[in-house]
Amino acid sequence: MTLPLRPELAGVEPYGAPQLDVPVCLNVNENPYAPSAAVADDIAQAVKNAAATLNRYPNRDAMQLRRALADYLAKESSVLIDPGRIWVANGSNEIMLHILQAYGGQGRALMSFAPTYSMYHEYARNTGTRWIAGHRNEDFTLDLEHVQDMLERERPAVLVLASPNNPTGTALTIEEIMRVAELTRTSGPIIDKTETSTLLVIDEAYGEFRREGTPSALSVLDRYPHLVVTRTMSKAFAMAGLRLGYMAAAQTVVDDLMKVRLPYHLSAITQAAALAAIDHSDELMGCIAHLRETRDDLVRWLRAEGFEAVESDANFVLFGRFDEREKVFNALLERGILIRVVGPDGWLRVSVGTDEEDEAFRRALKEVTTHE
Ligand SMILES: *Cc1c(COP(=O)(O)O)cnc(C)c1O
């Protein structure tokens, strides 16, 4: 007997970074500081209240949560966005899925520029969207001429650019974002003999870690009806376990995504917990300044030790280069430190941890590489 699995899924392994029980986990860019007992209590109380109404379906439009996120963005990025232009889902992963369900699919393409987040091509595959990856410059910046050529040649429905980018940590300047937003105004598929825009998605999963003077793409949102900025509570917000992602865009985009979302996609428990967490955003994100500093320290230290390290606007650092990176990865793992084999050959990625975790990583890396 053979089941009618879609041919593109034949032989595919389910994706995921290894989840190993080791003392120092620096592999998936989580915030290393757990919520305090007081925050955990408030979340638990909110969940308890929601539990008393679980016989009912959740609020489908999650307007209260979208209002809270709009208030948060006003504070974080000084940009005022109508809550109706915010969309929420189970992680920014699901936001991307909604985007491709609405704008991708058969005969359409999703484009990005590698090295970048490995999930993008999976979202494309899962939605029957063609995946196109261009390349970046040697220093991982965007080659804007190449971007223009690729857009003209392929006419993608969606272009996604992570900024700060994963796994490189590099952020786009606001000038680069605006340039690409201009290029994508008419580079989408031709529909009924009419030029469309390419939906430009700037994935700001690590937006809160950006360095002083790097504005968010949110600051130019109102100029481009085809611009989408995605965010998540998984990284800076220290809520990876919650699964709450969101985006800001023109009202039309939100209206389009509502056509493809499952009827009650965001559980009442998730909505309640997220609202309670946002009430404590100042405390939850109080460690961001410190993590930014220790990230910069880590880059300096790696360079002083003779490694290459990419300047980062995120909470991780890409470093190398190693003839046999798997060996370095495994030797660190033997010492209880889990990092990530990702990016171009020769490079490894390490998340910024607590001060103690950073110290353990440095000690182990020195040990491992002097014995190489
Ligand atoms: C971690 C990460 C995300 C977050 O995904 P969630 O589903 O919100 O947890 C999104 N984009 C990039 C580039 C990431 O590294």
Side-chain angles (χ1 to χ4, degrees):
M1 193 193 70
T2 310
L3 295 173
L5 181 68
R6 289 164 48 193
E8 58 270 38
L9 297 178
V12 167
E13 288 292 324
Y15 170 84
Q19 288 193 310
L20 305 178
D21 190 13
V22 295
V24 181
C25 277
L26 301 174
N27 67 331
V28 287
N29 306 335
E30 296 150 332
N31 185 324
Y33 298 102
S36 68
V39 174
D41 278 349
D42 275 6
I43 293 175
Q45 187 58 51
V47 168
K48 188 176 177 196
N49 295 344
T53 65
L54 281 179
N55 57 313
R56 303 291 178 192
Y57 280 108
N59 185 325
R60 204 164 34 211
D61 296 332
M63 268 327 293
Q64 203 188 346
L65 179 54
R66 289 157 72 189
R67 268 193 295 273
L69 288 166
D71 290 345
Y72 164 74
L73 289 179
K75 212 167 44 168
E76 198 272 336
S77 292
S78 310
V79 180
L80 292 180
I81 300 161
D82 185 90
R85 295 172 53 195
I86 309 271
W87 183 237
V88 284
N90 296 282
S92 54
N93 287 181
E94 193 185 27
I95 297 278
M96 273 307 292
L97 189 63
H98 288 170
I99 287 172
L100 291 178
Q101 284 173 332
Y103 298 103
Q106 199 67 52
R108 304 282 181 95
L110 169 66
M111 179 180 283
S112 192
F113 292 86
T116 192
Y117 191 38
S118 55
M119 284 299 290
Y120 296 146
H121 105 267
E122 304 223 353
Y123 309 147
R125 182 197 66 205
N126 295 351
T127 55
T129 310
R130 192 161 60 93
W131 165 246
I132 303 166
H135 57 76
R136 287 171 180 255
N137 293 320
E138 276 286 298
D139 63 356
F140 306 124
T141 54
L142 272 191
D143 174 349
L144 287 170
E145 267 178 45
H146 173 58
V147 172
Q148 182 168 11
D149 285 351
M150 291 287 282
L151 287 169
E152 283 170 7
R153 181 147 37 111
E154 305 285 354
R155 303 201 76 89
V158 182
L159 168 61
V160 60
L161 297 172
S163 178
N165 185 41
N166 181 5
T168 60
T170 47
L172 297 169
T173 64
I174 202 72
E175 290 76 22
E176 287 171 316
I177 290 170
M178 287 166 68
R179 178 85 183 103
V180 177
E182 290 301 335
L183 291 174
T184 44
R185 270 190 199 278
T186 55
S187 65
I190 311 279
I191 300 174
D192 297 336
K193 299 194 177 123
T194 308
E195 270 184 343
T196 62
S197 299
T198 297
L199 197 77
L200 172 59
V201 180
I202 305 294
D203 179 351
E204 293 192 349
Y206 302 97
E208 287 94 345
F209 294 106
R210 66 191 185 274
R211 284 175 288 180
E212 212 69 41
T214 306
S216 161
L218 290 169
S219 63
V220 295
L221 192 63
D222 285 345
R223 302 189 195 191
Y224 306 104
H226 62 300
L227 177 60
V228 174
V229 181
T230 60
R231 291 278 186 110
T232 180
M233 290 180 72
S234 297
K235 306 289 161 58
F237 235 111
M239 284 284 138
L242 177 62
R243 306 307 299 132
L244 201 290
Y246 56 105
M247 65 152 212
Q251 187 65 56
T252 330
V253 177
V254 175
D255 294 346
D256 287 345
L257 299 197
M258 288 182 73
K259 297 170 189 171
V260 298
R261 60 118 171 81
L262 292 171
Y264 300 102
H265 72 296
L266 205 61
S267 85
I269 299 290
T270 301
Q271 293 186 40
L275 272 166
I278 295 167
D279 268 346
H280 293 281
S281 57
D282 287 344
E283 181 183 331
L284 285 167
M285 311 213 347
C287 53
I288 300 296
H290 181 68
L291 288 170
R292 279 207 206 109
E293 276 171 32
T294 49
R295 166 200 63 203
D296 294 341
D297 283 347
L298 184 57
V299 170
R300 273 191 295 271
W301 180 84
L302 284 162
R303 288 177 177 171
E305 292 294 317
F307 299 104
E308 287 177 69
V310 183
E311 210 68 61
S312 173
D313 274 280
N315 64 334
F316 54 83
V317 177
L318 192 71
F319 70 101
R321 302 183 207 180
F322 304 102
D323 291 337
E324 291 175 284
R325 62 173 168 175
E326 295 279 351
K327 261 196 182 161
V328 178
F329 170 83
N330 283 321
L332 288 171
L333 189 55
E334 276 167 24
R335 286 160 179 78
I337 293 159
L338 179 61
I339 63 166
R340 193 80 186 270
V341 180
V342 67
D345 203 24
W347 296 91
L348 291 167
R349 191 194 71 195
V350 61
S351 313
V352 177
T354 61
D355 296 355
E356 295 72 28
E357 290 169 333
D358 288 349
E359 184 49 40
F361 164 74
R362 291 181 198 198
R363 211 178 316 118
L365 183 67
K366 256 185 118 146
E367 235 175 77
V368 161
T369 46
T370 41
H371 296 160
E372 212 187 9

